[in-house]
Each structure stands twice: as C-alpha cells, then as structure tokens.
DNA sequence: ATTGGGATTAGCT
DNA sequence: GCTAATCCCAATG
C-alpha cells in the first residue's frame, strides 16, 4: 500500500526524503527519477529558512508540494521540493536525477552528451530541465510540473550533506544505493 | 552604503 | 587543488 503524494509532502523533510527517492519528476517534456536529496528544516542553521522569511525563501514556507528555486553563488539555479505544513519552512534540495524523458533537449541545454552527467549536481539538473526563478513558488501538479511516486520503496543510504560549512555533521543527505547518477 | 560568504560548477594548474 | 562566474542576504558602520 503506497501513500499518496499529499500524505508524503506534508511530512517533515527527513521523513519525506526516503519516500520521494525514486519518484519521477517532470517539467514539460523532460522527466527523470530523483536519486539524491538533502533535507533542510527551519531549526537547521544551514537552512535558508533558519532566519525567517525573505522575498527569496518565501516559497519555502508554503505547504508541502510547492517548489522553491534559488540562485546559488550568483550562477546556478537550485531546485527544492517544499515539505511539511504551511509556515514550517522546510524543503528537500534535489541534488541529482536520472534522466528518463527529453534527453535530447537536456543534452542541448547542457551542451553535454554523457547521460550520467546530465542531471548530476543541483545546478546541472536545473539547467537540463530549464528550471529557474520563474518556477519558484509553483505547486506540483500545475504548469506542466509533476511528481509521480515510485510504485515500490527503494534501497537508499544516508550521510552528511555537501557544500555547507555549518551543521555539516547532520546526516540529512539521502541517495539511492548504487545509483551511478548520484552527484558523488 | 558596503562587505563577506554561500545548499555550485567548469576549466585550468 | 584553485579560481572565476557575480546574486541574494545578513551583518556591520
């Protein structure tokens, strides 16, 4: 018996993460299987929501099932799936996707041919999917954006998150065991 | 008003 | 391994 989408995205990010691994994320013609996620909650000093709401992170405080997209280092767009209830300020950073559909378009956007590298890393997958600021705040299920749950549970691993300097030791990175599409 | 740092990446050394 | 790309926010003066 699989839980429905709404029941999962209203969970807290660390509980939702393993349940969303393996699900199929779609934007328009491009789709792929989420293989790597990181959880960020409001009590986490490394989270954008830690110091409260700003114009940038406002979608992070919407109810679970929305998207939060931000610009990293002034260069790369990063995609989050918001979790929890309205006002909780938590989300899952999507770090890697296994491409399934729209591969040619992804290759063109990325100027990369190797399918293993197309959606490896948060900044790379947004480029492949054509995701940017305009997608921040969208609700999954609208505007050609969808997320289809994996019919069966997936074997996964948990470890420390990547690229942060505070709360490094929090084990909140989740990835599908043995997937060669994971960022590292 | 200014400054420093970041949930990153590609390209070069 | 190091650096540049140069945006958004928080802390400081």
């Amino acid at each position: 018996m699989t839980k429905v989408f709404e029941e999962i995205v209203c969970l807290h990010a660390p509980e939702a993460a393993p349940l969303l691994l393996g699900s199929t994320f779609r934007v328009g013609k491009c789709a792929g299987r989420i293989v790597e996620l990181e959880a960020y909650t409001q009590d986490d000093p490394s989270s954008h929501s830690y110091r409260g709401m700003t114009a940038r992170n406002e979608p992070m405080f919407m109810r679970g099932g929305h998207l939060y997209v931000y610009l990293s280092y002034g260069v790369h767009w990063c995609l989050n799936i918001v979790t929890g209830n309205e006002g909780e300020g938590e989300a899952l950073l999507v770090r890697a996707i296994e491409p399934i559909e729209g591969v040619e378009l992804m290759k063109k956007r990325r100027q990369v041919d190797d399918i293993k590298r197309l959606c490896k890393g948060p900044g790379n997958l947004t480029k492949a999917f054509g995701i940017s600021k305009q997608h921040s705040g969208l609700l999954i299920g609208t505007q050609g954006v969808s997320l289809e749950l994996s019919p069966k549970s997936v074997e996964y691993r948990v470890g420390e998150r990547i690229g942060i300097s505070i709360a490094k030791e929090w084990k909140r990175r989740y990835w599908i065991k043995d997937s060669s599409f994971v960022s590292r």
Side-chain angles (χ1 to χ4, degrees), chain A residues 97-151:
Chain A
I97 286 176
E98 177 180 339
I100 295 173
E101 271 182 56
V103 172
E104 290 312 309
L105 180 53
M106 292 183 188
K107 286 181 176 176
K108 188 178 164 192
R109 284 171 170 155
R110 288 269 287 118
Q111 298 286 99
V112 162
D113 230 36
D114 179 4
I115 192 164
K116 293 279 174 64
R117 290 171 49 199
L118 276 185
C119 299
K120 191 183 290 254
N124 288 334
L125 70 90
T126 53
K127 188 169 181 186
F129 275 77
I131 292 168
S132 64
K133 188 178 185 69
Q134 67 200 73
H135 296 88
S136 198
L138 288 187
L139 181 63
I140 293 170
T142 69
Q143 302 276 124
V145 179
S146 65
L147 190 62
E148 189 183 337
L149 296 176
S150 170

Side-chain angles (χ1 to χ4, degrees), chain A residues 5 12 18 29 33 64-65 67 72 84 88 111 119 129 132 137 159 176:
Chain A
F5 175 70
H12 290 299
K29 291 182 170 67
R33 179 172 179 247
L67 302 182
S72 176
E88 291 187 324
Q111 298 286 99
C119 299
F129 275 77
S132 64
I176 292 183

Side-chain angles (χ1 to χ4, degrees):
Chain A
M1 184 64 186
T2 58
K3 291 194 181 187
V4 296
F5 175 70
E6 285 76 13
E7 290 173 340
I8 292 177
V9 292
C10 73
L11 296 173
H12 290 299
E15 287 98 58
L19 303 174
L20 291 182
L21 282 176
S23 60
T24 302
F25 179 70
R26 169 180 298 276
V27 180
K29 291 182 170 67
C30 295
R33 179 172 179 247
I34 296 176
V35 296
E36 182 182 1
L37 293 166
E38 283 182 0
Y40 291 87
T41 51
Q42 201 182 8
D43 61 334
D44 171 3
S46 69
S47 172
H48 287 177
S49 58
Y50 184 64
R51 292 164 204 283
M53 193 158 42
T54 66
R56 177 177 67 159
N57 70 17
E58 188 260 330
M60 229 179 141
F61 291 84
M62 295 175 173
R63 83 177 142 84
H66 286 81
L67 302 182
Y68 165 48
V69 181
Y70 70 94
L71 190 59
S72 176
Y73 292 91
V75 184
H76 305 285
W77 295 105
C78 293
L79 169 70
N80 291 260
I81 297 168
V82 178
T83 64
N85 296 304
E86 185 175 353
E88 291 187 324
E90 52 182 75
L92 294 165
L93 171 69
V94 183
R95 286 196 56 93
I97 286 176
E98 177 180 339
I100 295 173
E101 271 182 56
V103 172
E104 290 312 309
L105 180 53
M106 292 183 188
K107 286 181 176 176
K108 188 178 164 192
R109 284 171 170 155
R110 288 269 287 118
Q111 298 286 99
V112 162
D113 230 36
D114 179 4
I115 192 164
K116 293 279 174 64
R117 290 171 49 199
L118 276 185
C119 299
K120 191 183 290 254
N124 288 334
L125 70 90
T126 53
K127 188 169 181 186
F129 275 77
I131 292 168
S132 64
K133 188 178 185 69
Q134 67 200 73
H135 296 88
S136 198
L138 288 187
L139 181 63
I140 293 170
T142 69
Q143 302 276 124
V145 179
S146 65
L147 190 62
E148 189 183 337
L149 296 176
S150 170
K152 54 180 198 174
S153 65
V154 144
E155 264 201 277
Y156 68 98
R157 290 287 176 268
V158 181
E160 294 182 359
R161 293 172 294 184
I162 293 171
I164 55 174
S165 55
I166 38 180
K168 269 188 164 94
E169 68 286 355
W170 295 32
K171 304 265 194 308
R172 289 196 166 184
R173 175 171 166 249
Y174 309 80
W175 67 94
I176 292 183
K177 187 192 166 205
D178 298 330
S179 170
S180 53
F181 294 89
V182 167
S183 70
R184 60 175 99 154

